[in-house]
PDB file of all heavy atoms in Angstrom:
ATOM      1  N   GLU A 166       1.047 -76.171  55.014  1.00  0.00           N
ATOM      2  CA  GLU A 166       0.752 -74.998  54.182  1.00  0.00           C
ATOM      3  C   GLU A 166       0.237 -73.903  55.100  1.00  0.00           C
ATOM      4  O   GLU A 166      -0.927 -73.920  55.513  1.00  0.00           O
ATOM      5  CB  GLU A 166      -0.281 -75.340  53.112  1.00  0.00           C
ATOM      6  CG  GLU A 166       0.211 -76.316  52.061  1.00  0.00           C
ATOM      7  CD  GLU A 166       1.289 -75.716  51.160  1.00  0.00           C
ATOM      8  OE1 GLU A 166       1.323 -74.465  51.061  1.00  0.00           O
ATOM      9  OE2 GLU A 166       2.060 -76.489  50.584  1.00  0.00           O
ATOM     10  N   ALA A 167       1.102 -72.979  55.445  1.00  0.00           N
ATOM     11  CA  ALA A 167       0.778 -71.980  56.456  1.00  0.00           C
ATOM     12  C   ALA A 167      -0.455 -71.162  56.067  1.00  0.00           C
ATOM     13  O   ALA A 167      -1.352 -70.933  56.893  1.00  0.00           O
ATOM     14  CB  ALA A 167       1.976 -71.054  56.686  1.00  0.00           C
ATOM     15  N   ASP A 168      -0.533 -70.706  54.819  1.00  0.00           N
ATOM     16  CA  ASP A 168      -1.640 -69.865  54.395  1.00  0.00           C
ATOM     17  C   ASP A 168      -2.959 -70.619  54.448  1.00  0.00           C
ATOM     18  O   ASP A 168      -3.989 -70.067  54.883  1.00  0.00           O
ATOM     19  CB  ASP A 168      -1.397 -69.331  52.979  1.00  0.00           C
ATOM     20  CG  ASP A 168      -0.269 -68.316  52.925  1.00  0.00           C
ATOM     21  OD1 ASP A 168       0.098 -67.771  53.985  1.00  0.00           O
ATOM     22  OD2 ASP A 168       0.240 -68.067  51.817  1.00  0.00           O
ATOM     23  N   ALA A 169      -2.953 -71.865  54.029  1.00  0.00           N
ATOM     24  CA  ALA A 169      -4.183 -72.662  54.033  1.00  0.00           C
ATOM     25  C   ALA A 169      -4.667 -72.895  55.458  1.00  0.00           C
ATOM     26  O   ALA A 169      -5.872 -72.798  55.747  1.00  0.00           O
ATOM     27  CB  ALA A 169      -3.956 -73.984  53.326  1.00  0.00           C
ATOM     28  N   ILE A 170      -3.749 -73.188  56.350  1.00  0.00           N
ATOM     29  CA  ILE A 170      -4.129 -73.428  57.749  1.00  0.00           C
ATOM     30  C   ILE A 170      -4.620 -72.129  58.384  1.00  0.00           C
ATOM     31  O   ILE A 170      -5.616 -72.125  59.125  1.00  0.00           O
ATOM     32  CB  ILE A 170      -2.932 -74.009  58.528  1.00  0.00           C
ATOM     33  CG1 ILE A 170      -2.598 -75.405  57.999  1.00  0.00           C
ATOM     34  CG2 ILE A 170      -3.215 -74.059  60.025  1.00  0.00           C
ATOM     35  CD1 ILE A 170      -1.311 -75.988  58.546  1.00  0.00           C
ATOM     36  N   SER A 171      -3.936 -71.051  58.086  1.00  0.00           N
ATOM     37  CA  SER A 171      -4.351 -69.753  58.619  1.00  0.00           C
ATOM     38  C   SER A 171      -5.754 -69.397  58.156  1.00  0.00           C
ATOM     39  O   SER A 171      -6.594 -68.932  58.956  1.00  0.00           O
ATOM     40  CB  SER A 171      -3.363 -68.679  58.180  1.00  0.00           C
ATOM     41  OG  SER A 171      -3.728 -67.415  58.667  1.00  0.00           O
ATOM     42  N   ASP A 172      -6.044 -69.620  56.879  1.00  0.00           N
ATOM     43  CA  ASP A 172      -7.378 -69.333  56.340  1.00  0.00           C
ATOM     44  C   ASP A 172      -8.445 -70.229  56.970  1.00  0.00           C
ATOM     45  O   ASP A 172      -9.562 -69.798  57.228  1.00  0.00           O
ATOM     46  CB  ASP A 172      -7.384 -69.514  54.824  1.00  0.00           C
ATOM     47  CG  ASP A 172      -6.581 -68.442  54.103  1.00  0.00           C
ATOM     48  OD1 ASP A 172      -6.292 -67.401  54.713  1.00  0.00           O
ATOM     49  OD2 ASP A 172      -6.220 -68.667  52.920  1.00  0.00           O
ATOM     50  N   ALA A 173      -8.077 -71.481  57.226  1.00  0.00           N
ATOM     51  CA  ALA A 173      -9.053 -72.444  57.745  1.00  0.00           C
ATOM     52  C   ALA A 173      -9.440 -72.150  59.194  1.00  0.00           C
ATOM     53  O   ALA A 173     -10.611 -72.312  59.577  1.00  0.00           O
ATOM     54  CB  ALA A 173      -8.510 -73.865  57.621  1.00  0.00           C
ATOM     55  N   TYR A 174      -8.482 -71.704  59.993  1.00  0.00           N
ATOM     56  CA  TYR A 174      -8.730 -71.589  61.426  1.00  0.00           C
ATOM     57  C   TYR A 174      -8.680 -70.158  61.956  1.00  0.00           C
ATOM     58  O   TYR A 174      -8.942 -69.923  63.131  1.00  0.00           O
ATOM     59  CB  TYR A 174      -7.749 -72.473  62.191  1.00  0.00           C
ATOM     60  CG  TYR A 174      -7.830 -73.916  61.783  1.00  0.00           C
ATOM     61  CD1 TYR A 174      -6.759 -74.554  61.173  1.00  0.00           C
ATOM     62  CD2 TYR A 174      -9.009 -74.645  61.978  1.00  0.00           C
ATOM     63  CE1 TYR A 174      -6.839 -75.876  60.771  1.00  0.00           C
ATOM     64  CE2 TYR A 174      -9.104 -75.962  61.571  1.00  0.00           C
ATOM     65  CZ  TYR A 174      -8.025 -76.575  60.975  1.00  0.00           C
ATOM     66  OH  TYR A 174      -8.115 -77.885  60.570  1.00  0.00           O
ATOM     67  N   GLY A 175      -8.345 -69.200  61.104  1.00  0.00           N
ATOM     68  CA  GLY A 175      -8.383 -67.817  61.520  1.00  0.00           C
ATOM     69  C   GLY A 175      -7.274 -67.403  62.462  1.00  0.00           C
ATOM     70  O   GLY A 175      -7.460 -66.471  63.256  1.00  0.00           O
TER      71      GLY A 175
END
Side-chain angles (χ1 to χ4, degrees):
E166 293 291 337
D168 290 342
I170 294 171
S171 180
D172 290 343
Y174 302 116

